[in-house]
Amino acid sequence: MKICVISGSPKGEESITLQYVRFIERAFPDHTFSIVHAGRDIRKMEQDREEWDRALARVRESDGVVFATPVYFMLVPGQLKRFIELAGERDAMPAFSGKYTATLTTSIHFFDHTAHAYLHGISEDFGMNHAGSYSAHMQDLKLEDCQERLILFFSDFIDAIEKKRHIQRVFLPIPQISRAYSPRDGSAAVDTGGKRVVILHDAESGSVQETMVRRLAGMYAGPVTVADIRDSMMRGGCLGCCRCAFDNTCVYNDGFREFWDAHVVPADILIMAGTIRDRYLSATWKQWNDRSFFNGHVPALEGKQVGYIVEGPLAHLPNLREVLVARATIGKAHLAGIVTNESGDPDEIDAALGALASQSVKFSEQHYRSPDTFPEVGGRKIFRDEIWGGMRAFFKADDRYFRSHGLYDFPTKNYPERIGTRLFSLFLDIPGIRKNVEKNMVANMIRPFRETIEKSKVLATRRSKLG
Ligand SMILES: Cc1cc2nc3c(=O)[nH]c(=O)nc-3n(C[C@H](O)[C@H](O)[C@H](O)COP(=O)(O)O)c2cc1C
């Protein structure tokens, strides 16, 4: 079989993910592998049509395509995202259509599932049969268990191609939605009360996104900064070099850092506006997000209200919604709202933008952040364990932050609690006591809350006095 590997890593041959491919290649000498370095060579492919055609020829000649990529910001690197966009722009789908495909990622398992869902959906949009996904931790290759599973995974992929296995589509096609939006005039402006409002966008002139951005900006009575992310003068995508790990300094010396410091850092209310392209926003937004990796794993949006304006069919892309929400909440911001133009009804869109304006200011004044759910709680534990477990040797800036903010919060150091739990556990081994505790289990769970509930009225009164 001829296997074409589309490699998403900007690191080219030195990609960790590619080492997993090399492992498979050695294990299956009867099959031939050709690598398309989408992550490394995307600029060349954009500028040199022959380079693009050569890449596409490899896809066309293959029996199966493997997307092998690192996970970047819960998706794929901006460079691979651009490759996927180019395939759409240059009508390259027939080269992919009908082929079997699989996804192989390396990561620290932080939102690897959303990267997989994205590539799965894209594969189906390209008319391919998605036979499976493999998510490896970036250091798994040394483990025998991983080696064995990789071999089984790839054997299964070959089997799917050989037997022309029937595979059902998982993700619905993305519908076209109405492009028009003409806002009505006269909505009352929301007093920003001195809060700094920043709207970042990548709107094309005359687009719905641009109209929505302008409308929202007009709803805030007070200064609003509206900035195009393309003005951050990025010279390229994140290189994955991790040199920023030591002291949060990126190897690029372009305008990105100044743009971040001028617009993101001072914002109390940060609105990000984008237009759906394939199953994410633009590759420019993806590259912009990747470049913010210089912040490491600290919650870089802490204390902010974040909102989104999305032009396009977001309701059909729950995976994108999950990524957008997590981008805000993992950064410890509060998600003030997401407004789309999906309804096509200008009054409804105006009302939603008005609600976003007023909610963002209200929540900012209240310093409100909604409680964490599974992705934030789980995600931070992954960061904590990874940084503590080894990354802190070179992610020194993260280590300093985690230490100074008490984020190495493993319960292991709480000796009184550990001793108490152990004693209590021994105590419960006494049959009579265990029986009694079991009988009152449910009541005991809520007993500690009684006093707190008594005080709730006092707290609510105090809160309302504070406004
Ligand atoms: C810009 C950037 C963003 C990343 N985002 C994620 C992420 O969202 N989730 C995750 O688990 N790992 C993330 N990682 C870690 C990489 O996925 C991991 O190091 C991967 O193994 C690198 O593979 P490569 O050498 O093939 O590029 C990120 C790394 C970089 C540089």
Side-chain angles (χ1 to χ4, degrees), residues 85-237:
E85 276 185 15
L86 270 187
E89 283 169 21
R90 295 179 177 175
D91 294 325
M93 262 73 145
F96 294 85
S97 185
K99 293 194 191 297
Y100 281 78
T101 184
T103 301
L104 166 63
T105 62
T106 66
S107 68
I108 58 168
H109 292 310
F110 173 79
F111 283 83
D112 48 354
H113 66 294
T114 45
H116 283 209
Y118 172 73
L119 284 173
H120 194 150
I122 291 292
S123 302
E124 293 182 345
D125 295 343
F126 281 16
M128 304 170 93
N129 301 297
H130 194 272
S133 303
Y134 191 103
S135 174
H137 185 279
M138 57 191 287
Q139 280 155 7
D140 275 356
L141 191 55
K142 291 179 294 186
L143 307 175
E144 225 169 89
D145 172 58
C146 166
Q147 297 160 9
E148 276 167 18
R149 282 205 272 176
L150 264 179
I151 287 170
L152 290 178
F153 171 71
F154 192 73
S155 312
D156 181 65
F157 180 49
I158 295 293
D159 185 63
I161 302 173
E162 281 171 352
K163 297 201 176 121
K164 295 192 175 22
R165 187 183 302 154
H166 177 74
I167 294 174
Q168 287 192 323
R169 192 173 176 136
V170 171
F171 295 94
L172 288 169
I174 311 163
Q176 291 293 322
I177 65 160
S178 154
R179 296 270 143 209
Y181 165 53
S182 308
R184 317 257 191 241
D185 290 329
S187 285
V190 176
D191 182 2
T192 55
K195 296 291 177 189
R196 280 159 298 188
V197 183
V198 175
I199 306 179
L200 303 181
H201 69 92
D202 68 343
E204 297 301 333
S205 174
S207 64
V208 169
Q209 188 200 139
E210 187 191 45
T211 313
M212 290 173 82
V213 165
R214 216 180 291 141
R215 185 74 192 95
L216 181 68
M219 284 173 166
Y220 289 106
V224 177
T225 304
V226 178
D228 188 328
I229 56 165
R230 288 164 294 196
D231 291 339
S232 58
M233 312 296 281
M234 293 178 283
R235 268 198 292 117

Side-chain angles (χ1 to χ4, degrees), residues 370-392:
S370 56
D372 293 336
T373 60
F374 172 65
E376 296 84 33
V377 176
R380 286 205 201 96
K381 283 184 197 292
I382 289 180
F383 286 168
R384 179 195 69 183
D385 291 2
E386 290 287 339
I387 293 166
W388 174 264
M391 279 166 60
R392 68 196 158 112

Side-chain angles (χ1 to χ4, degrees), residues 7-12 14-20 68-75 77 105-112 114 136-139 238-242 244 286 289-294 297 382-383 391 395:
S7 165
S9 177
K11 293 192 259 173
E14 291 179 341
S15 147
I16 292 172
T17 320
L18 203 66
Q19 309 316 304
Y20 288 67
T69 181
V71 177
Y72 271 17
F73 270 89
M74 311 176 220
L75 213 83
T105 62
T106 66
S107 68
I108 58 168
H109 292 310
F110 173 79
F111 283 83
D112 48 354
T114 45
H137 185 279
M138 57 191 287
Q139 280 155 7
C238 175
L239 301 169
C241 65
C242 290
C244 54
K286 188 68 195 45
N289 281 325
D290 292 351
R291 287 289 306 275
S292 70
F293 188 71
F294 77 87
H297 301 84
I382 289 180
F383 286 168
M391 279 166 60
F395 275 88

